[in-house]
Every structure is written in structure tokens, then in C-alpha cells.
Amino acid sequence: MTAIIQQIKERFSQSLVKSFGENFADTDPLIVAASNPRFGDYQCNISLSLAKELKQKPREVAATLLKNLEIDDLCQTPEIAGPGFINLTLKPSYLETQLKDLITDNRLGVVAANPSQKIIVDFSSPNIAKEMHVGHLRSTIIGDCIARILEFRHHQVIRLNHVGDWGTQFGMLITYLQEAHPSALTQADALDLGDLVSFYKKAKIRFDEDENFKETARQAVVKLQSGDPQSRQAWQLLCQQSRREFQKIYDILDIKLTERGESFYNPYLEAIIRELDQQGLLTEDNGALCVFLDGFTNKEGEPLPLIVKKSDGGYNYATTDLAAICYRVRQDKAERIIYVTDAGQANHFAQVFQVAKKAGFLPDNVAVVHVAFGLVLGEDGKKLKTRSGETVKLQELLDQAIACSLADLEKRLASEEREETGDFIAKTAETVGLSAVKYADLSQNRHSNYVFSYDKMLNLQGNTAPYMLYAYARVQSISREGGINFQDLSANSSLILKDESELILAKQLLQLPEVISAVEEDLLPNRLCDYLYELSKKYNRFYENCPVLKAAEPIKTSRLVLCDLTARTLKLGLSLLGIPVLERM
Ligand code: ARG
């Protein structure tokens, strides 16, 4: 099944050709969802933009288009409105047949992409020996959701964790490891450094206070980069330790990632510099090698360079990202590369992309996108911190979400005088708590900052995970109450849409393919959240207006189909956000 808007587009394209000739075969008929339900469901805006070109009045253009338009099976008689818009209202009979097709379609109308693309999603990407902070959490949640949606569309997605596992800080860390845990290197497996972050801090203190230490650290970087086995082993040890910590978070959140850190691109960095040189792009500036950029200037209006080789001969974040682009284009054969990081890195990516294009690393048929996001704020409106001003540990943040969700659940069970098993309570609290964190993040337009509040994200009312999960569980309760197995509903179940609220719900259910393709394009997961939230509100209105179990046949079956499709759409939509459903809660 094709998205409704697509079907309408095709009909208008045919009419455009019939009306004005083959030249208009590729003209976009400008179909959009109606801004107000009073005007119908969709609107065609092409007459206004064609009027000039055709030297006709917009309303005349609209009339000609309508004369040649074949759309009876989809819509009621279209109307020309205002200066020349065409308003379209879908026919109930059309909605009924479309919905019927969904009963046996486990993709709920969302077709697989054709052609399917090779897409890299670069997300999460914390730094070794440093805290994985809320910014990484945002990247993890948003990146995972984008990957899930693209995978559902049958794209070939590579989920890459571009961890910061290389750089000068390793000289300091290795030197400190050798000083403080000299035996670590001989009994590698036995080492448990505990909290790597405090290890990092202790190493930093030694680095800052002792000139000898500093010098040894500097030499350690050189040794590591030249492949000295002992240094590499120490480095491995540190990475291993961090990896274990990161993995705990990924397991809790059900995130799949392939690690391909910065160090992976090491062997390719020299060649990158060589290629840039061959292209004549390199300039020496105070001993460093740079590429000058278009459109980036400093305060004085002078052009800004992107440094690709530091004056000490070392490479940096940008060099690695250039090498990563080459690898992803040439080896992975990626057609779209998506980077999920905070908005603070917007310049970095714009610069790297520009240089990559200039150097010919990025052919025109490969799209690179920086999926930027805003900050996570505390309830005081400032960057999220602990009370003592430290960065919040992700593990603690997630534990806290689960604890708050547990407290809410226990209160609710007590007020409803319900007895549940310990298992049920633990599992429900965990699912609701973690889902609340994910949903709170995904439901915001990612460009904005958002306030992290357990109270808000766990609220049973509003655009929250508990509300959505509750909506799903309530639909399921109908099947329990009526002793009905939704799976028994078959493709020939009758569908009769009469009540206004049934029509509204039906239209919403049929919008899923449009929403998914919008998110696939603009990579804004909040659109899917908004859609699911609207769906549950429309379902509630339907449920208030239309008795289901008490209705007589064939209406009863028809309404059960609406219930089932709502539940399945919620379940699918939530799964694309990385959120599992609960049959009861
Ligand atoms: N490690 C970086 C950070 O913590 C994010 C890496 C993003 N990916 C990339 N290819 N640069 O800020």
C-alpha cells in the first residue's frame, strides 16, 4: 500500500499531464494535509504557482485540473476554495477498504524502501576514560530511534559507535596506570580500576603537578602511536574497562552498536594528509597543516582554517573524521551518513564536510547529515548537574527514573486496591521508568533544549511514555474484558465507518506511512511521538463516543478492528522509539 498522500499525488500528476501536457509530468502537485479539518483532509496548492507560468487565473487552472482528475474512488467531489486551492475529503468507503488491507498487514501500510540504501548512523560515541554524560545519552536515544526507523524501512543500516579512544590524554592515563598499578599489565584480567572517571581525575592531578610525569606522558603518547606493545596493552586495558561500563548502559536501554572508535582510522590518517596535499588544499600555518574554508571567518573577518595536522605532528578529531568519511564511502559504500551529536559540534561537521567535498572524498550521491540536538537542562533551567555540581552519572539517572516510577506505581496500586506480584511490579516500574526517559527525549524537537524532570516524564497525563503505554494497555483490556482474541479478526471482517470519531480515528491510523517517511527524511523523531499521541487521543474520543463490546454486529466487529489497529499501531510506533509495550500496567 502506498501512503494516501502519494496516491493523491499520482492522480494529480496524471491530471497535470492531461491538462497541460507532458512538460508537467515532473511537476510536484503540492499536496499537503489540510490545515483545518473543515477544509477536508488534503489540499492541492499547485494552481496558484502554475497560474503565472500558464498565464491563467489560478481558479481556471484549478477547474481544468479538476476536469481531468480521476479521483472518485478516493475522494468526495473536490472543491475549489479561495484563490484556487483544491480541497479534498476522503470517502468513508475508501477509508474502509484501506483499513481492511491493514488487518493482515504486519507493517501497517509502511512499505519497504525501494531502492534500499546503505546508511551509517554514527551515534552515542562516548569517550574512553571519561564519563558518558547526558549528551551521549541523548545521542544514544535519538540515534537508536533513527536507526530503528531506517531498519524498519529495510535500509541497510550500520550502527557505529565512534568512541573517543585515541588522543593525547592516553599518554597521561598510561603513565598513571604504570605508576599507580604497575602489576596491572602483567595480570591484565584481574585489573579492576573501578571508577575510571576518578582514575582520570587522579591522573590529571599528577599530570598538572609534576613536570617529570608530564614529560613521561608525552613520550608515552609517541610510544603508543608508534605501536610499542607495552603501551598498546595498557591502552587496551583502559579501553576494555570503559567498554564494560558503556555496555551496561546499552544493555539496560536495549541498544545495539558496533564499536569503531577513532583509533580504527589511525592507519589511514597519513594517506588523508597526502591526498589533501595532492589536491593542493594544504596550507602551513604556524607549523600546523590546515585547509582554509569558505564561509568561516573569525571575529576580524579573516578566513578560518581547519587544522588537520598539528604543529607537533599529531592528528586531531577533524583528521579522524575525514578518514572516517573516506572509509565509510569507499569501503562501506555508504550512501547516507548520519551523525548524531549535540548542536555544539555543528561547525566541526560543517567544516569537515566542506573539506571532504573539496577533496573529492564525498561524491554528490552520498548525503552527510549532522543530526544536532540541544542541551539537557535541570529543573533550574541550567545544564543538568548533580546537587554538588558534578556531571550526573547515567547509571544513577536511569536508576532514579526506575525508582520514581516504582513509587508512582505503588501509590497507584494502593489507591486502586490492587494486589500484584513482586515480579509484575518490578518489571512494570523498570519498563515505565526507562521508557519515560527515552520518550521525554524523543518527544521534544531535538533542536531545542529540554528540561529533565522525573515528575513530568512520569506523568500519566500528557505526551509521556506512561500515557502512551497506558493507552495501549487499555485497548488490550477490551480484548480481555470481552473474551476476544484480536488475532481472530480477519481480512474479511466488516468495516463500517459512520460516527465522526470513527472517521477521524481511521484517517489517523492511515497516516502512519506518511509520518514514517517524514521522519526518514527530516530525522525528527518527535514527529512520530506527536503522531502516536494524537492517535491515542483520537482513540479515546472514539471510545467515549462509540460503545464497542455492547454494539450489535456488524458494528461490533468493525469497532474491534479499530481497537486492534490502534493497539498495533501504538505497539509498532513505540517499538520504533525503542520502547516495549506492557499488556497491563
Ligand atoms: N566522541 C565525541 C564526543 O563525545 C562524539 C563523536 C561523534 N562522531 C564523530 N564521527 N565525530 O563529543
Side-chain angles (χ1 to χ4, degrees):
M1 182 176 126
T2 336
I4 296 176
I5 195 161
Q6 201 52 42
Q7 296 190 41
I8 297 179
K9 259 188 199 157
E10 279 159 22
R11 303 299 176 90
F12 270 91
S13 293
Q14 287 157 10
S15 169
L16 274 167
V17 171
K18 259 200 196 160
S19 305
F20 308 116
E22 280 300 330
N23 282 352
F24 293 86
D26 293 329
T27 305
D28 180 351
L30 305 180
I31 311 292
V32 294
S35 52
N36 184 326
R38 276 193 300 142
F39 305 138
D41 300 313
Y42 292 92
Q43 186 176 316
C44 166
N45 295 338
I46 188 66
S47 318
L48 291 99
S49 61
L50 275 191
K52 244 201 200 135
E53 193 176 338
L54 295 167
K55 300 203 174 67
Q56 292 180 19
K57 293 207 179 75
R59 289 187 71 102
E60 275 169 36
V61 177
T64 312
L65 278 175
L66 285 190
K67 210 174 71 207
N68 292 312
L69 181 69
E70 285 174 33
I71 205 158
D72 271 3
D73 50 336
L74 270 68
C75 300
Q76 290 162 13
T77 311
E79 280 171 19
I80 303 177
F85 306 114
I86 301 173
N87 289 340
L88 302 157
T89 304
L90 298 168
K91 272 187 176 165
S93 58
Y94 171 72
L95 296 170
E96 286 163 7
T97 47
Q98 294 290 299
L99 278 186
K100 259 186 154 175
D101 287 347
L102 296 188
I103 299 176
T104 49
D105 176 6
N106 55 16
R107 300 184 57 87
L108 295 169
V110 181
V111 291
N114 185 16
S116 128
Q117 278 191 315
K118 193 100 182 244
I119 305 180
I120 287 178
V121 187
D122 173 324
F123 71 107
S124 192
S125 310
N127 301 315
I128 300 289
K130 291 195 190 158
E131 193 80 75
M132 187 171 173
H133 54 69
V134 282
H136 296 124
L137 181 67
R138 271 208 102 169
S139 173
T140 307
I141 293 172
I142 295 172
D144 176 58
C145 169
I146 289 174
R148 282 175 192 259
I149 290 174
L150 296 171
E151 283 156 356
F152 182 62
R153 287 271 290 144
H154 285 197
H155 289 297
Q156 304 160 61
V157 178
I158 313 183
R159 299 159 158 258
L160 289 186
N161 201 1
H162 191 86
V163 293
D165 63 356
W166 204 246
T168 41
Q169 80 267 29
F170 279 98
M172 172 184 97
L173 293 168
I174 291 171
T175 307
Y176 185 67
L177 183 69
Q178 283 162 343
E179 180 179 286
H181 302 267
S183 61
L185 295 165
T186 46
Q187 6 168 320
D189 289 345
L191 180 80
D192 183 2
L193 297 173
D195 186 357
L196 251 199
V197 178
S198 58
F199 179 85
Y200 186 97
K201 281 184 194 148
K202 282 186 245 161
K204 182 83 172 66
I205 292 173
R206 289 287 294 126
F207 185 85
D208 290 338
E209 75 187 3
D210 184 340
E211 274 308 314
N212 281 333
F213 186 98
K214 214 178 240 174
E215 186 46 39
T216 320
R218 228 169 261 141
Q219 286 162 11
V221 181
V222 179
K223 265 167 103 181
L224 175 64
Q225 292 188 340
S226 65
D228 166 63
Q230 258 213 340
S231 313
R232 276 199 88 86
Q233 198 195 340
W235 168 74
Q236 278 290 0
L237 219 60
L238 293 162
C239 292
Q240 210 59 51
Q241 181 88 17
S242 273
R243 219 169 265 144
R244 269 204 299 266
E245 293 303 309
F246 299 157
Q247 194 56 43
K248 281 186 204 156
I249 303 286
Y250 298 142
D251 287 343
I252 300 176
L253 294 175
D254 187 23
I255 308 286
K256 306 255 176 321
L257 267 162
T258 303
E259 184 179 322
R260 206 196 266 170
E262 294 180 11
S263 65
F264 177 88
Y265 302 98
N266 243 348
Y268 308 103
L269 299 178
E270 232 178 86
I272 289 296
I273 303 295
R274 220 177 310 124
E275 278 195 58
L276 291 173
D277 197 22
Q278 280 158 6
Q279 303 283 334
L281 291 169
L282 290 185
T283 312
E284 207 185 306
D285 191 18
N286 288 319
L289 292 178
C290 338
V291 181
F292 276 91
L293 300 154
D294 304 325
F296 291 94
T297 49
N298 64 11
K299 276 188 240 114
E300 282 74 42
E302 294 153 356
L304 269 181
L306 179 72
I307 297 178
V308 290
K309 190 169 183 175
K310 296 184 287 183
S311 53
D312 67 3
Y315 304 107
N316 61 16
Y317 191 46
T319 331
T320 307
D321 261 326
L322 286 169
I325 288 181
C326 283
Y327 193 91
R328 291 165 182 188
V329 170
R330 295 173 188 173
Q331 311 298 318
D332 294 325
K333 308 263 183 281
E335 298 164 82
R336 192 178 186 197
I337 312 176
I338 296 169
Y339 298 82
V340 190
T341 80
D342 62 292
Q345 299 197 32
N347 270 345
H348 164 75
F349 285 112
Q351 295 174 349
V352 166
F353 296 165
Q354 188 188 107
V355 172
K357 278 189 188 133
K358 275 193 179 160
F361 299 161
L362 251 184
D364 287 340
N365 58 351
V366 178
V368 283
V369 204
H370 176 214
V371 167
F373 53 79
L375 302 173
V376 183
L377 306 176
E379 297 198 57
D380 56 1
K382 296 196 191 115
K383 231 175 146 166
L384 189 70
K385 288 260 152 70
T386 61
R387 240 168 252 171
S388 55
E390 311 245 330
T391 44
V392 180
K393 285 205 171 55
L394 290 192
Q395 180 81 47
E396 283 167 17
L397 179 140
L398 298 175
D399 287 346
Q400 185 64 22
I402 296 172
C404 292
S405 141
L406 178 65
D408 282 2
L409 177 61
E410 280 173 338
K411 235 192 278 160
R412 192 158 52 83
L413 291 180
S415 77
E416 291 171 6
E417 294 182 5
R418 263 168 68 190
E419 291 258 359
E420 296 287 355
T421 64
D423 256 11
F424 173 90
I425 294 174
K427 168 132 198 308
T428 308
E430 181 178 312
T431 304
V432 173
L434 297 175
S435 304
V437 173
K438 286 190 181 182
Y439 195 90
D441 198 319
L442 295 169
S443 58
Q444 298 291 323
N445 181 315
R446 60 177 162 79
H447 293 291
S448 29
N449 300 340
Y450 83 99
V451 175
F452 191 94
S453 152
Y454 293 114
D455 276 353
K456 267 202 211 124
M457 68 176 73
L458 286 166
N459 199 326
L460 258 178
Q461 296 306 323
N463 193 7
T464 64
Y467 177 85
M468 304 302 309
L469 292 171
Y470 203 63
Y472 174 83
R474 268 188 37 194
V475 188
Q476 293 308 310
S477 73
I478 293 175
S479 82
R480 282 193 295 273
E481 241 171 74
I484 282 152
N485 189 351
F486 280 145
Q487 262 133 34
D488 293 342
L489 297 168
S490 71
N492 38 27
S493 308
S494 63
L495 253 167
I496 308 147
L497 303 172
K498 284 258 154 50
D499 193 272
E500 186 66 23
S501 64
E502 290 175 305
L503 287 164
I504 291 175
L505 176 60
K507 285 172 193 170
Q508 182 74 10
L509 286 166
L510 291 168
Q511 300 280 307
L512 183 69
E514 273 162 49
V515 174
I516 298 293
S517 60
V519 181
E520 180 175 340
E521 206 163 293
D522 57 25
L523 308 171
L524 289 171
N526 63 302
R527 284 187 172 222
L528 178 55
C529 297
D530 290 343
Y531 166 80
L532 295 172
Y533 184 47
E534 273 306 305
L535 176 65
S536 19
K537 287 197 289 191
K538 287 176 177 168
Y539 173 80
N540 287 345
R541 230 161 290 144
F542 151 78
Y543 194 67
E544 279 161 24
N545 289 343
C546 304
V548 177
L549 294 171
K550 293 211 173 81
E553 289 295 1
I555 300 285
K556 180 177 168 184
T557 299
S558 171
R559 291 184 177 163
L560 284 171
V561 169
L562 287 176
C563 293
D564 178 43
L565 287 176
T566 302
R568 285 166 52 201
T569 306
L570 288 175
K571 182 174 180 175
L572 173 63
L574 288 170
S575 81
L576 297 177
L577 301 174
I579 296 176
V581 292
L582 295 163
E583 297 304 310
R584 273 177 347 106
M585 63 184 275

